[in-house]
Amino acid sequence: MQKMDSRDMELPLLWEKALKLIGPEKGVVHLATAAVLNALWDLWAKQEGKPLWKLLVDMDPKTLLSCIDFRYITDVLTEEEAYEILQKGRVGNREREAQMLAHGYPAYTTSCAWLGYSDDTLKQLCSKALKDGWTRFKVKVGADLQDDIRRCRLIRDMIGPEKTLMMDANQRWDVPEAVEWMSRLAEFKPLWIEEPTSPDDILGHATISKALAPLGIGVATGEQCHNRVIFKQLLQANALQFLQIDSCRLGSVNENLSVLLMAQKFGIPVCPHAGGVGLCELVQHLIIFDYIAVSASLKNRMCEYVDHLHEHFKYPVIIKKASYMPPKDAGYSTEMKEESVKKHRFPDGEVWKKLLAGQEN
């Protein structure tokens, strides 16, 4: 196979630009673009014999910048400014790489406190997580205020006052409702409220952010952001204190790189979304690269971890002491096991045959 370099990324980017008339850069087309480009990054890293994070860390800044589309964001980040950020990130990067290899990137768990869990299940899962060394927990909120108060008190009592608690509303509230609801939950000292309202409502997030700041509660969002332009505006509007990139919602590694660099310019910590199938496997590469080569900081930074479905991947994440250990296998950790793909293939896979048979009955 012919060796790949940054020029090989140009054709997919041209293809993406040609689709602007039905977007641009959003919806199913953008998701499909991400899938294609993520696959190319996986191939590139495998040809270099490196995990993706290492490919990015070792890449010359000018080569890396050639993979980024700066359209629509030069009013906040020029290519020259991005180059300066990457050059500054080279200082001490080998020491930070060694730190990652030894200790990993801090993670938080979302697996303990989903809506609908009974109190017994919640207690059991929190107790196990504490024994496993977890110190950062996220709880789902937003369905019923009194139930949220009860559940958050239960969790805070279990984890104690020193450990970190986050809350996630998954877009449930209008803006005034979000402010009022979180004012009632402020006693539990959440670090952030995630997706308090529509992910498209930039000014709504800004209003919530301003209202909750005196309570010490930050706003986090990003898993449903269509593209770098939405992130640009969230940053410009001071609408978030924690930025949550998604390895598949954005246009692959290429677009995530631009958002990482914008976040660094604005001084906003990146705490990636990683709840879906395979997202933990992918996003670990991006956040490890961010620490080593861009932000050089772990302050208020952590990466989401959900403990399910990793068994379908050839190179599943490795968590030690509540931290992502840097992948060592070449590639983007995206490759699924052949038997899992076969089992879930539509419409002749075993899983789909059972579902379709059930519908017929």
Side-chain angles (χ1 to χ4, degrees):
M1 184 181 292
Q2 185 177 355
K3 187 179 180 66
M4 293 175 66
D5 60 32
S6 63
R7 291 171 295 181
D8 292 297
M9 308 304 292
E10 293 177 1
L11 184 58
L13 285 174
L14 289 172
W15 174 61
E16 177 185 358
K17 292 175 184 178
L19 294 170
K20 66 181 180 181
L21 296 178
I22 56 173
E25 303 175 338
K26 66 179 73 173
V28 67
V29 172
H30 206 45
L31 291 168
T33 300
V36 172
L37 290 173
N38 278 336
L40 288 174
W41 280 100
D42 181 51
L43 289 172
W44 189 357
K46 285 177 177 176
Q47 286 192 337
E48 294 293 331
K50 298 177 180 181
L52 180 84
W53 67 265
K54 181 63 172 170
L55 174 72
L56 295 172
V57 166
D58 291 346
M59 196 177 294
D60 174 78
K62 290 186 177 180
T63 302
L64 190 145
L65 291 175
S66 72
C67 300
I68 297 175
D69 188 347
F70 283 88
R71 286 179 308 160
Y72 313 136
I73 63 171
T74 55
D75 50 330
V76 301
L77 182 73
T78 65
E79 189 168 345
E80 291 73 23
E81 289 173 318
Y83 180 77
E84 290 178 6
I85 291 172
L86 291 173
Q87 283 291 87
K88 185 177 180 180
R90 292 169 75 90
V91 179
N93 63 347
R94 296 307 172 196
E95 289 80 6
R96 291 191 294 276
E97 182 176 332
Q99 179 186 354
M100 285 289 98
L101 290 169
H103 304 291
Y105 196 94
Y108 72 86
T109 177
T110 306
S111 298
C112 296
W114 295 93
L115 288 173
Y117 279 178
S118 68
D119 287 0
D120 286 343
T121 298
L122 194 153
K123 290 177 182 179
Q124 180 182 357
L125 292 174
C126 277
S127 178
K128 182 180 186 305
L130 288 167
K131 289 179 182 178
D132 290 339
W134 290 93
T135 61
R136 304 170 184 88
F137 298 78
K138 189 165 78 179
V139 55
K140 300 287 185 174
V141 298
D144 179 271
L145 178 57
Q146 293 305 316
D147 190 54
D148 284 349
I149 292 172
R150 181 184 57 79
R151 292 167 64 250
C152 289
R153 179 171 288 117
L154 190 157
I155 294 169
R156 178 53 84 185
D157 287 346
M158 285 199 68
I159 68 176
E162 301 303 320
K163 292 183 174 60
T164 304
L165 181 66
M166 290 81 68
M167 298 179 183
D168 185 356
N170 287 115
Q171 315 158 23
R172 281 182 173 265
W173 302 317
D174 282 349
V175 172
E177 186 181 17
V179 174
E180 173 62 25
W181 204 296
M182 288 310 300
S183 297
R184 297 288 303 277
L185 297 180
E187 65 175 288
F188 305 109
K189 305 297 181 184
L191 178 65
W192 76 53
I193 176 59
E194 183 174 330
E195 287 198 314
T197 192
S198 166
D200 298 336
D201 190 356
I202 295 162
L203 297 182
H205 277 84
T207 298
I208 295 167
S209 177
K210 184 177 180 179
L212 296 183
L215 300 176
I217 303 172
V219 169
T221 194
E223 69 178 85
Q224 299 290 342
C225 282
H226 299 300
N227 51 49
R228 65 195 179 281
V229 178
I230 302 297
F231 277 115
K232 179 190 76 169
Q233 294 181 45
L234 286 164
L235 291 165
Q236 287 174 308
N238 297 315
L240 78 176
Q241 286 70 51
F242 302 91
L243 188 151
Q244 297 174 310
I245 58 172
D246 187 289
S247 56
C248 296
R249 176 72 60 181
L250 293 180
S252 86
V253 176
N254 303 68
E255 192 167 30
N256 272 290
L257 291 174
S258 67
V259 176
L260 291 175
L261 290 163
M262 284 193 291
Q264 176 62 12
K265 181 179 176 181
F266 280 84
I268 296 296
V270 176
C271 301
H273 168 244
V277 181
L279 291 184
C280 294
E281 278 71 20
L282 272 70
V283 80
Q284 62 181 330
H285 292 270
L286 300 176
I287 200 60
I288 291 169
F289 161 75
D290 178 64
Y291 171 65
I292 296 173
V294 180
S295 70
S297 173
L298 292 177
K299 183 179 180 180
N300 281 335
R301 297 169 188 266
M302 64 195 90
C303 187
E304 183 173 23
Y305 176 72
V306 178
D307 187 16
H308 63 248
L309 302 175
H310 303 293
E311 67 273 12
H312 296 296
F313 289 83
K314 287 188 176 181
Y315 311 107
V317 294
I318 297 175
I319 298 290
K320 289 184 179 179
K321 297 182 179 179
S323 296
Y324 280 92
M325 301 308 297
K328 295 182 179 179
D329 295 293
Y332 197 6
S333 305
T334 58
E335 192 171 351
M336 299 187 76
K337 294 178 179 177
E338 185 176 346
E339 57 268 29
S340 292
V341 174
K342 183 178 180 181
K343 187 175 181 180
H344 292 82
R345 183 181 290 121
F346 179 83
D348 58 340
E350 177 184 335
V351 171
W352 283 101
K353 283 183 177 179
K354 288 181 179 179
L355 287 171
L356 295 172
Q359 289 179 353
E360 292 175 357
N361 295 333

